[in-house]
Amino acid sequence: MRALPVRRIATSVLCASLLLGTAGPVIAAESDSPHGSTQEAARAPVPGADKLLPQVKTLADAAGVLSPVTDLLTAVLKADGGKLPAADAAKLAGPVKDAITKASAAAPKAPELPQTPAAPDTQALPQTPALPKALPGDSMAQADPKADALKALQTSVNALLKAATSGDVKAVTGALPTVLTGLVNLVAATLLGGGLPAPDLAGLPALPKAPAPNLPQAPGLS
């Protein structure tokens, strides 16, 4: 009677071995099937993703700034006389500062200009009038427009918060358009300087051209 359980165990082990021996090739075949290869291919990145991902991040950084700033503007516009309690102003100011700081850290740094070699002594030569350091519209003078836009936006937000907490309606009225302009400047700097594709929507007006700078003429030239 004691040998019966042993036989049952042996029979169970044999059946399990047969099942595993039969299923083993099936499992191996499934792993080598074209379906498995398709799943692996689906995990591969989209062609050109390395170029598009930075563009997406650029837009995300700008959107991250727009939302808290527009929340602040909406709160001030809906407040009685444009006055915000200090606690409410602090709650709105925190996300704005964090978003601008994050976007500023992500902004690309302007490349350093190569050093110009020292010029030889030209005391004996007639001196020509010095040109202005930065000409209007000069690309070198505006090497990092997005960083400038973020800095100006933070300054205008600080002015709006100061006016809103003090209850100075006149100051609030003057600060609101400045913050709005700061947002527009940030969007423009992001779209035009972030390596994004050019807009192709029909009917868009052409961008205005910057006026040509008035350069000083050298002596003796007409």
Side-chain angles (χ1 to χ4, degrees):
M1 296 296 293
R2 293 181 179 178
L4 184 58
V6 176
R7 291 179 179 177
R8 289 179 178 175
I9 293 174
T11 303
S12 299
V13 171
L14 178 60
C15 293
S17 299
L18 291 174
L19 288 174
L20 288 176
T22 305
V26 176
I27 295 173
E30 287 184 354
S31 63
D32 294 337
S33 65
H35 179 67
S37 300
T38 303
Q39 289 181 341
E40 291 297 329
R43 296 192 185 101
V46 176
D50 55 337
K51 295 182 180 180
L52 294 178
L53 280 174
Q55 298 180 12
V56 174
K57 188 178 184 305
T58 297
L59 292 174
D61 291 339
V65 176
L66 292 177
S67 181
V69 175
T70 53
D71 289 344
L72 171 62
L73 290 171
T74 301
V76 173
L77 289 169
K78 290 184 176 181
D80 185 15
K83 184 175 182 180
L84 291 177
D88 294 346
K91 286 182 179 180
L92 293 166
V96 173
K97 184 177 180 180
D98 292 342
I100 291 178
T101 301
K102 181 179 179 181
S104 299
K109 303 301 181 182
E112 296 184 359
L113 297 178
Q115 298 294 330
T116 305
D121 187 10
T122 55
Q123 292 182 356
L125 298 177
Q127 300 294 324
T128 57
L131 294 176
K133 294 183 179 180
L135 300 176
D138 189 357
S139 59
M140 292 300 180
Q142 300 175 353
D144 199 352
K146 184 176 179 181
D148 294 341
L150 288 167
K151 184 178 180 181
L153 179 61
Q154 182 65 73
T155 301
S156 63
V157 165
N158 293 341
L160 176 60
L161 288 168
K162 181 178 179 180
T165 52
S166 66
D168 188 345
V169 180
K170 184 177 180 180
V172 169
T173 305
L176 284 169
T178 306
V179 176
L180 280 172
T181 302
L183 283 179
V184 174
N185 288 339
L186 174 61
V187 172
T190 301
L191 294 179
L192 299 180
L196 296 170
D200 60 356
L201 183 63
L204 285 178
L207 293 175
K209 295 182 179 180
N214 294 324
L215 299 178
Q217 292 185 353
L221 296 179
S222 57

